[in-house]
Amino acid sequence: DEYTILNKLGKGSFGTVYKVEQKKSNLFRAMKVISKEILTYQDDDQQFLKEIEILMKQDHINILKGYEYFEDNLNYYLITELITKGELYEYILNCDKIDEAQVRYIFKQLISVVSYLHKNQIIHRDLKPENILVDSVIDNNINIKVIDFGTCNFFKKGKNLNLQGGSPYYIAPE
């Protein structure tokens, strides 16, 4: 009732993302729709709600901002900021070259996100170029946003997390 769906932006293994417009403000946002039927819980039965909780509480320039969420009998609907430049993975594939200074700038932002999350006792567990969006390119600097906190969890010092997770192409062989 609060948003108008404009078009589909993409589809992943856990949901579909749409560009939406908030009716009251006319602001554009992204809406991730996750079917409750196909949702698989990972560490506990609150995994998706944990993703929402973590996204809503984070305040870091390089983490996708979560605004609100809704649910009905069939789906969860997560409203986030809209990032339109696509995945870092696709950006890299479509570039003629990325120089060392650009890579350093991206890496600095990524390390800042990891440090911020770890200081807040959060582990992402699926960092990869497909889970990093290009927010903007200003003066040859590629600004990024980390997304997809579906496998994230809180951690406590001295307590191991046992979930085997991540994406097969990026998991260490050991």
Side-chain angles (χ1 to χ4, degrees):
D1 294 337
E2 296 184 35
Y3 292 87
T4 302
I5 296 176
L6 301 175
N7 60 296
K8 184 168 142 179
L9 296 174
K11 184 167 176 52
S13 55
F14 287 105
T16 304
V17 179
Y18 297 92
K19 180 179 180 181
V20 297
E21 183 176 12
Q22 189 177 36
K23 291 178 180 178
K24 288 180 186 174
S25 68
N26 295 326
L27 292 173
F28 296 107
R29 302 276 190 241
M31 178 176 69
K32 183 177 181 181
V33 180
I34 296 94
S35 170
K36 290 180 176 180
E37 186 177 287
I38 65 163
L39 192 62
T40 56
Y41 298 108
Q42 296 176 17
D43 292 308
D44 57 44
D45 63 352
Q46 298 297 311
Q47 184 63 31
F48 183 69
L49 297 178
K50 192 180 297 170
E51 176 180 1
I52 292 172
E53 176 187 359
I54 287 172
L55 263 182
M56 299 301 218
K57 288 182 178 178
Q58 302 319 303
D59 187 21
H60 190 284
I61 193 167
N62 300 112
I63 295 176
L64 183 75
K65 180 71 177 150
Y67 293 114
E68 59 187 333
Y69 78 96
F70 307 96
E71 68 175 292
D72 59 23
N73 291 335
L74 301 175
N75 301 307
Y76 289 104
Y77 305 88
L78 176 60
I79 306 297
T80 67
E81 68 182 305
L82 177 65
I83 308 296
T84 60
K85 297 207 180 302
E87 297 173 354
L88 180 60
Y89 181 81
E90 292 295 326
Y91 186 87
I92 291 168
L93 287 178
N94 293 325
C95 280
D96 290 333
K97 68 175 187 164
I98 294 182
D99 63 40
E100 186 177 335
Q102 290 174 306
V103 173
R104 222 178 9 253
Y105 190 76
I106 292 168
F107 191 72
K108 181 179 176 184
Q109 293 171 85
L110 191 55
I111 292 301
S112 175
V113 168
V114 170
S115 175
Y116 174 84
L117 291 172
H118 288 189
K119 284 179 186 172
N120 288 290
Q121 271 72 40
I122 298 167
I123 186 168
H124 188 281
R125 298 197 290 199
D126 197 20
L127 287 174
K128 58 184 179 180
E130 294 90 340
N131 286 342
I132 301 169
L133 297 180
V134 175
D135 184 32
S136 62
V137 181
I138 301 170
D139 296 329
N140 211 29
N141 289 322
I142 302 165
N143 297 299
I144 63 166
K145 296 274 185 175
V146 172
I147 64 167
D148 197 351
F149 286 75
T151 59
C152 68
N153 204 343
F154 295 100
F155 68 87
K156 292 181 182 171
K157 195 170 187 171
K159 185 175 182 213
N160 291 335
L161 295 172
N162 298 317
L163 171 72
Q164 272 190 333
S167 300
Y169 289 119
Y170 297 98
I171 295 173
E174 61 276 1

PDB file of all heavy atoms in Angstrom, residues 140-166:
ATOM      1  N   ASN A 140      37.354   9.095 -10.635  1.00  0.00           N
ATOM      2  CA  ASN A 140      38.032   7.807 -10.798  1.00  0.00           C
ATOM      3  C   ASN A 140      38.013   6.942  -9.531  1.00  0.00           C
ATOM      4  O   ASN A 140      38.673   5.918  -9.477  1.00  0.00           O
ATOM      5  CB  ASN A 140      39.466   8.005 -11.299  1.00  0.00           C
ATOM      6  CG  ASN A 140      39.909   6.852 -12.164  1.00  0.00           C
ATOM      7  OD1 ASN A 140      39.101   6.208 -12.829  1.00  0.00           O
ATOM      8  ND2 ASN A 140      41.202   6.570 -12.153  1.00  0.00           N
ATOM      9  N   ASN A 141      37.294   7.383  -8.485  1.00  0.00           N
ATOM     10  CA  ASN A 141      37.156   6.592  -7.266  1.00  0.00           C
ATOM     11  C   ASN A 141      35.831   5.843  -7.308  1.00  0.00           C
ATOM     12  O   ASN A 141      34.778   6.442  -7.515  1.00  0.00           O
ATOM     13  CB  ASN A 141      37.192   7.483  -6.018  1.00  0.00           C
ATOM     14  CG  ASN A 141      38.570   8.033  -5.768  1.00  0.00           C
ATOM     15  OD1 ASN A 141      39.570   7.348  -5.974  1.00  0.00           O
ATOM     16  ND2 ASN A 141      38.643   9.278  -5.328  1.00  0.00           N
ATOM     17  N   ILE A 142      35.892   4.539  -7.090  1.00  0.00           N
ATOM     18  CA  ILE A 142      34.710   3.681  -7.132  1.00  0.00           C
ATOM     19  C   ILE A 142      34.189   3.533  -5.704  1.00  0.00           C
ATOM     20  O   ILE A 142      34.835   2.909  -4.856  1.00  0.00           O
ATOM     21  CB  ILE A 142      35.056   2.301  -7.737  1.00  0.00           C
ATOM     22  CG1 ILE A 142      35.633   2.479  -9.146  1.00  0.00           C
ATOM     23  CG2 ILE A 142      33.833   1.395  -7.749  1.00  0.00           C
ATOM     24  CD1 ILE A 142      36.322   1.249  -9.688  1.00  0.00           C
ATOM     25  N   ASN A 143      33.016   4.134  -5.438  1.00  0.00           N
ATOM     26  CA  ASN A 143      32.396   4.058  -4.118  1.00  0.00           C
ATOM     27  C   ASN A 143      31.467   2.852  -4.078  1.00  0.00           C
ATOM     28  O   ASN A 143      30.679   2.643  -4.989  1.00  0.00           O
ATOM     29  CB  ASN A 143      31.622   5.345  -3.823  1.00  0.00           C
ATOM     30  CG  ASN A 143      32.546   6.539  -3.782  1.00  0.00           C
ATOM     31  OD1 ASN A 143      33.451   6.600  -2.968  1.00  0.00           O
ATOM     32  ND2 ASN A 143      32.344   7.467  -4.696  1.00  0.00           N
ATOM     33  N   ILE A 144      31.570   2.076  -3.006  1.00  0.00           N
ATOM     34  CA  ILE A 144      30.851   0.805  -2.921  1.00  0.00           C
ATOM     35  C   ILE A 144      29.863   0.764  -1.762  1.00  0.00           C
ATOM     36  O   ILE A 144      29.949   1.562  -0.825  1.00  0.00           O
ATOM     37  CB  ILE A 144      31.828  -0.378  -2.786  1.00  0.00           C
ATOM     38  CG1 ILE A 144      32.637  -0.264  -1.488  1.00  0.00           C
ATOM     39  CG2 ILE A 144      32.721  -0.502  -4.011  1.00  0.00           C
ATOM     40  CD1 ILE A 144      33.373  -1.525  -1.091  1.00  0.00           C
ATOM     41  N   LYS A 145      28.940  -0.217  -1.845  1.00  0.00           N
ATOM     42  CA  LYS A 145      28.009  -0.545  -0.764  1.00  0.00           C
ATOM     43  C   LYS A 145      27.997  -2.063  -0.624  1.00  0.00           C
ATOM     44  O   LYS A 145      27.784  -2.782  -1.603  1.00  0.00           O
ATOM     45  CB  LYS A 145      26.585  -0.086  -1.081  1.00  0.00           C
ATOM     46  CG  LYS A 145      26.407   1.401  -1.224  1.00  0.00           C
ATOM     47  CD  LYS A 145      26.175   2.052   0.101  1.00  0.00           C
ATOM     48  CE  LYS A 145      25.877   3.541  -0.123  1.00  0.00           C
ATOM     49  NZ  LYS A 145      25.525   4.208   1.099  1.00  0.00           N
ATOM     50  N   VAL A 146      28.200  -2.565   0.585  1.00  0.00           N
ATOM     51  CA  VAL A 146      28.128  -3.997   0.854  1.00  0.00           C
ATOM     52  C   VAL A 146      26.660  -4.355   1.085  1.00  0.00           C
ATOM     53  O   VAL A 146      25.934  -3.641   1.776  1.00  0.00           O
ATOM     54  CB  VAL A 146      28.994  -4.380   2.075  1.00  0.00           C
ATOM     55  CG1 VAL A 146      28.779  -5.839   2.475  1.00  0.00           C
ATOM     56  CG2 VAL A 146      30.469  -4.121   1.769  1.00  0.00           C
ATOM     57  N   ILE A 147      26.242  -5.463   0.470  1.00  0.00           N
ATOM     58  CA  ILE A 147      24.854  -5.912   0.550  1.00  0.00           C
ATOM     59  C   ILE A 147      24.793  -7.365   0.993  1.00  0.00           C
ATOM     60  O   ILE A 147      25.822  -7.984   1.242  1.00  0.00           O
ATOM     61  CB  ILE A 147      24.132  -5.758  -0.820  1.00  0.00           C
ATOM     62  CG1 ILE A 147      24.783  -6.663  -1.885  1.00  0.00           C
ATOM     63  CG2 ILE A 147      24.118  -4.306  -1.258  1.00  0.00           C
ATOM     64  CD1 ILE A 147      23.961  -6.814  -3.148  1.00  0.00           C
ATOM     65  N   ASP A 148      23.597  -7.899   1.040  1.00  0.00           N
ATOM     66  CA  ASP A 148      23.290  -9.315   1.264  1.00  0.00           C
ATOM     67  C   ASP A 148      23.841  -9.832   2.583  1.00  0.00           C
ATOM     68  O   ASP A 148      24.871 -10.498   2.640  1.00  0.00           O
ATOM     69  CB  ASP A 148      23.773 -10.176   0.100  1.00  0.00           C
ATOM     70  CG  ASP A 148      23.103 -11.545   0.107  1.00  0.00           C
ATOM     71  OD1 ASP A 148      22.408 -11.865   1.102  1.00  0.00           O
ATOM     72  OD2 ASP A 148      23.269 -12.291  -0.864  1.00  0.00           O
ATOM     73  N   PHE A 149      23.102  -9.537   3.631  1.00  0.00           N
ATOM     74  CA  PHE A 149      23.472  -9.982   4.962  1.00  0.00           C
ATOM     75  C   PHE A 149      22.728 -11.259   5.344  1.00  0.00           C
ATOM     76  O   PHE A 149      22.513 -11.542   6.513  1.00  0.00           O
ATOM     77  CB  PHE A 149      23.211  -8.853   5.971  1.00  0.00           C
ATOM     78  CG  PHE A 149      24.223  -7.752   5.877  1.00  0.00           C
ATOM     79  CD1 PHE A 149      24.195  -6.845   4.831  1.00  0.00           C
ATOM     80  CD2 PHE A 149      25.228  -7.633   6.817  1.00  0.00           C
ATOM     81  CE1 PHE A 149      25.142  -5.836   4.732  1.00  0.00           C
ATOM     82  CE2 PHE A 149      26.183  -6.631   6.727  1.00  0.00           C
ATOM     83  CZ  PHE A 149      26.135  -5.731   5.682  1.00  0.00           C
ATOM     84  N   GLY A 150      22.337 -12.043   4.338  1.00  0.00           N
ATOM     85  CA  GLY A 150      21.554 -13.256   4.556  1.00  0.00           C
ATOM     86  C   GLY A 150      22.268 -14.343   5.332  1.00  0.00           C
ATOM     87  O   GLY A 150      21.631 -15.171   5.973  1.00  0.00           O
ATOM     88  N   THR A 151      23.584 -14.379   5.290  1.00  0.00           N
ATOM     89  CA  THR A 151      24.318 -15.393   6.053  1.00  0.00           C
ATOM     90  C   THR A 151      25.049 -14.785   7.251  1.00  0.00           C
ATOM     91  O   THR A 151      25.824 -15.464   7.915  1.00  0.00           O
ATOM     92  CB  THR A 151      25.341 -16.139   5.159  1.00  0.00           C
ATOM     93  OG1 THR A 151      26.250 -15.181   4.618  1.00  0.00           O
ATOM     94  CG2 THR A 151      24.656 -16.904   4.056  1.00  0.00           C
ATOM     95  N   CYS A 152      24.786 -13.518   7.522  1.00  0.00           N
ATOM     96  CA  CYS A 152      25.477 -12.852   8.626  1.00  0.00           C
ATOM     97  C   CYS A 152      24.979 -13.381   9.969  1.00  0.00           C
ATOM     98  O   CYS A 152      23.939 -14.017  10.061  1.00  0.00           O
ATOM     99  CB  CYS A 152      25.278 -11.345   8.550  1.00  0.00           C
ATOM    100  SG  CYS A 152      23.592 -10.833   8.872  1.00  0.00           S
ATOM    101  N   ASN A 153      25.749 -13.106  10.986  1.00  0.00           N
ATOM    102  CA  ASN A 153      25.346 -13.500  12.326  1.00  0.00           C
ATOM    103  C   ASN A 153      26.111 -12.656  13.336  1.00  0.00           C
ATOM    104  O   ASN A 153      27.140 -12.061  13.009  1.00  0.00           O
ATOM    105  CB  ASN A 153      25.628 -14.979  12.573  1.00  0.00           C
ATOM    106  CG  ASN A 153      24.746 -15.568  13.659  1.00  0.00           C
ATOM    107  OD1 ASN A 153      24.135 -14.846  14.448  1.00  0.00           O
ATOM    108  ND2 ASN A 153      24.679 -16.883  13.703  1.00  0.00           N
ATOM    109  N   PHE A 154      25.597 -12.640  14.549  1.00  0.00           N
ATOM    110  CA  PHE A 154      26.314 -12.037  15.652  1.00  0.00           C
ATOM    111  C   PHE A 154      27.316 -13.068  16.155  1.00  0.00           C
ATOM    112  O   PHE A 154      27.080 -14.267  16.043  1.00  0.00           O
ATOM    113  CB  PHE A 154      25.348 -11.664  16.780  1.00  0.00           C
ATOM    114  CG  PHE A 154      24.369 -10.597  16.388  1.00  0.00           C
ATOM    115  CD1 PHE A 154      23.073 -10.925  16.021  1.00  0.00           C
ATOM    116  CD2 PHE A 154      24.751  -9.263  16.371  1.00  0.00           C
ATOM    117  CE1 PHE A 154      22.167  -9.946  15.655  1.00  0.00           C
ATOM    118  CE2 PHE A 154      23.850  -8.279  15.999  1.00  0.00           C
ATOM    119  CZ  PHE A 154      22.556  -8.614  15.646  1.00  0.00           C
ATOM    120  N   PHE A 155      28.423 -12.608  16.697  1.00  0.00           N
ATOM    121  CA  PHE A 155      29.384 -13.548  17.269  1.00  0.00           C
ATOM    122  C   PHE A 155      29.822 -13.059  18.635  1.00  0.00           C
ATOM    123  O   PHE A 155      29.696 -11.879  18.957  1.00  0.00           O
ATOM    124  CB  PHE A 155      30.591 -13.755  16.337  1.00  0.00           C
ATOM    125  CG  PHE A 155      31.472 -12.544  16.185  1.00  0.00           C
ATOM    126  CD1 PHE A 155      32.506 -12.294  17.086  1.00  0.00           C
ATOM    127  CD2 PHE A 155      31.292 -11.663  15.128  1.00  0.00           C
ATOM    128  CE1 PHE A 155      33.332 -11.181  16.935  1.00  0.00           C
ATOM    129  CE2 PHE A 155      32.113 -10.556  14.968  1.00  0.00           C
ATOM    130  CZ  PHE A 155      33.131 -10.314  15.880  1.00  0.00           C
ATOM    131  N   LYS A 156      30.310 -14.008  19.411  1.00  0.00           N
ATOM    132  CA  LYS A 156      30.851 -13.698  20.735  1.00  0.00           C
ATOM    133  C   LYS A 156      32.276 -14.213  20.778  1.00  0.00           C
ATOM    134  O   LYS A 156      32.566 -15.305  20.280  1.00  0.00           O
ATOM    135  CB  LYS A 156      30.023 -14.359  21.838  1.00  0.00           C
ATOM    136  CG  LYS A 156      28.638 -13.766  21.955  1.00  0.00           C
ATOM    137  CD  LYS A 156      27.863 -14.421  23.071  1.00  0.00           C
ATOM    138  CE  LYS A 156      26.471 -13.800  23.083  1.00  0.00           C
ATOM    139  NZ  LYS A 156      25.570 -14.467  23.968  1.00  0.00           N
ATOM    140  N   LYS A 157      33.137 -13.421  21.350  1.00  0.00           N
ATOM    141  CA  LYS A 157      34.541 -13.815  21.460  1.00  0.00           C
ATOM    142  C   LYS A 157      34.649 -15.153  22.190  1.00  0.00           C
ATOM    143  O   LYS A 157      34.030 -15.354  23.221  1.00  0.00           O
ATOM    144  CB  LYS A 157      35.322 -12.731  22.201  1.00  0.00           C
ATOM    145  CG  LYS A 157      36.802 -12.854  22.063  1.00  0.00           C
ATOM    146  CD  LYS A 157      37.510 -11.650  22.609  1.00  0.00           C
ATOM    147  CE  LYS A 157      38.979 -11.769  22.284  1.00  0.00           C
ATOM    148  NZ  LYS A 157      39.698 -10.563  22.592  1.00  0.00           N
ATOM    149  N   GLY A 158      35.404 -16.059  21.607  1.00  0.00           N
ATOM    150  CA  GLY A 158      35.620 -17.368  22.200  1.00  0.00           C
ATOM    151  C   GLY A 158      34.573 -18.402  21.842  1.00  0.00           C
ATOM    152  O   GLY A 158      34.707 -19.563  22.201  1.00  0.00           O
ATOM    153  N   LYS A 159      33.518 -18.009  21.143  1.00  0.00           N
ATOM    154  CA  LYS A 159      32.482 -18.966  20.744  1.00  0.00           C
ATOM    155  C   LYS A 159      32.502 -19.111  19.227  1.00  0.00           C
ATOM    156  O   LYS A 159      32.386 -18.134  18.492  1.00  0.00           O
ATOM    157  CB  LYS A 159      31.108 -18.481  21.195  1.00  0.00           C
ATOM    158  CG  LYS A 159      30.035 -19.505  20.911  1.00  0.00           C
ATOM    159  CD  LYS A 159      28.688 -19.084  21.462  1.00  0.00           C
ATOM    160  CE  LYS A 159      27.717 -20.202  21.161  1.00  0.00           C
ATOM    161  NZ  LYS A 159      26.401 -19.781  20.913  1.00  0.00           N
ATOM    162  N   ASN A 160      32.665 -20.332  18.755  1.00  0.00           N
ATOM    163  CA  ASN A 160      32.730 -20.599  17.318  1.00  0.00           C
ATOM    164  C   ASN A 160      31.341 -20.657  16.701  1.00  0.00           C
ATOM    165  O   ASN A 160      30.394 -21.136  17.328  1.00  0.00           O
ATOM    166  CB  ASN A 160      33.442 -21.926  17.044  1.00  0.00           C
ATOM    167  CG  ASN A 160      34.906 -21.862  17.366  1.00  0.00           C
ATOM    168  OD1 ASN A 160      35.511 -20.801  17.353  1.00  0.00           O
ATOM    169  ND2 ASN A 160      35.487 -23.005  17.675  1.00  0.00           N
ATOM    170  N   LEU A 161      31.243 -20.196  15.468  1.00  0.00           N
ATOM    171  CA  LEU A 161      30.044 -20.405  14.666  1.00  0.00           C
ATOM    172  C   LEU A 161      30.321 -21.610  13.788  1.00  0.00           C
ATOM    173  O   LEU A 161      31.391 -21.723  13.200  1.00  0.00           O
ATOM    174  CB  LEU A 161      29.751 -19.164  13.809  1.00  0.00           C
ATOM    175  CG  LEU A 161      29.397 -17.898  14.584  1.00  0.00           C
ATOM    176  CD1 LEU A 161      29.337 -16.705  13.638  1.00  0.00           C
ATOM    177  CD2 LEU A 161      28.089 -18.065  15.314  1.00  0.00           C
ATOM    178  N   ASN A 162      29.369 -22.518  13.664  1.00  0.00           N
ATOM    179  CA  ASN A 162      29.614 -23.787  12.987  1.00  0.00           C
ATOM    180  C   ASN A 162      29.021 -23.901  11.598  1.00  0.00           C
ATOM    181  O   ASN A 162      29.250 -24.887  10.911  1.00  0.00           O
ATOM    182  CB  ASN A 162      29.102 -24.945  13.851  1.00  0.00           C
ATOM    183  CG  ASN A 162      29.828 -25.006  15.172  1.00  0.00           C
ATOM    184  OD1 ASN A 162      31.043 -24.852  15.214  1.00  0.00           O
ATOM    185  ND2 ASN A 162      29.094 -25.189  16.245  1.00  0.00           N
ATOM    186  N   LEU A 163      28.255 -22.932  11.174  1.00  0.00           N
ATOM    187  CA  LEU A 163      27.612 -22.998   9.860  1.00  0.00           C
ATOM    188  C   LEU A 163      28.658 -22.977   8.755  1.00  0.00           C
ATOM    189  O   LEU A 163      29.537 -22.136   8.737  1.00  0.00           O
ATOM    190  CB  LEU A 163      26.670 -21.807   9.670  1.00  0.00           C
ATOM    191  CG  LEU A 163      26.100 -21.628   8.265  1.00  0.00           C
ATOM    192  CD1 LEU A 163      25.068 -22.709   7.977  1.00  0.00           C
ATOM    193  CD2 LEU A 163      25.476 -20.261   8.111  1.00  0.00           C
ATOM    194  N   GLN A 164      28.554 -23.945   7.839  1.00  0.00           N
ATOM    195  CA  GLN A 164      29.349 -23.876   6.625  1.00  0.00           C
ATOM    196  C   GLN A 164      28.543 -23.033   5.663  1.00  0.00           C
ATOM    197  O   GLN A 164      27.402 -23.365   5.339  1.00  0.00           O
ATOM    198  CB  GLN A 164      29.572 -25.262   6.041  1.00  0.00           C
ATOM    199  CG  GLN A 164      30.774 -25.947   6.591  1.00  0.00           C
ATOM    200  CD  GLN A 164      31.089 -27.208   5.802  1.00  0.00           C
ATOM    201  OE1 GLN A 164      30.224 -27.819   5.204  1.00  0.00           O
ATOM    202  NE2 GLN A 164      32.345 -27.585   5.812  1.00  0.00           N
ATOM    203  N   GLY A 165      29.104 -21.942   5.229  1.00  0.00           N
ATOM    204  CA  GLY A 165      28.331 -21.050   4.376  1.00  0.00           C
ATOM    205  C   GLY A 165      29.214 -20.351   3.366  1.00  0.00           C
ATOM    206  O   GLY A 165      30.404 -20.624   3.261  1.00  0.00           O
ATOM    207  N   GLY A 166      28.589 -19.453   2.651  1.00  0.00           N
ATOM    208  CA  GLY A 166      29.308 -18.718   1.628  1.00  0.00           C
ATOM    209  C   GLY A 166      28.958 -19.257   0.260  1.00  0.00           C
ATOM    210  O   GLY A 166      28.110 -20.125   0.102  1.00  0.00           O
TER     211      GLY A 166
END
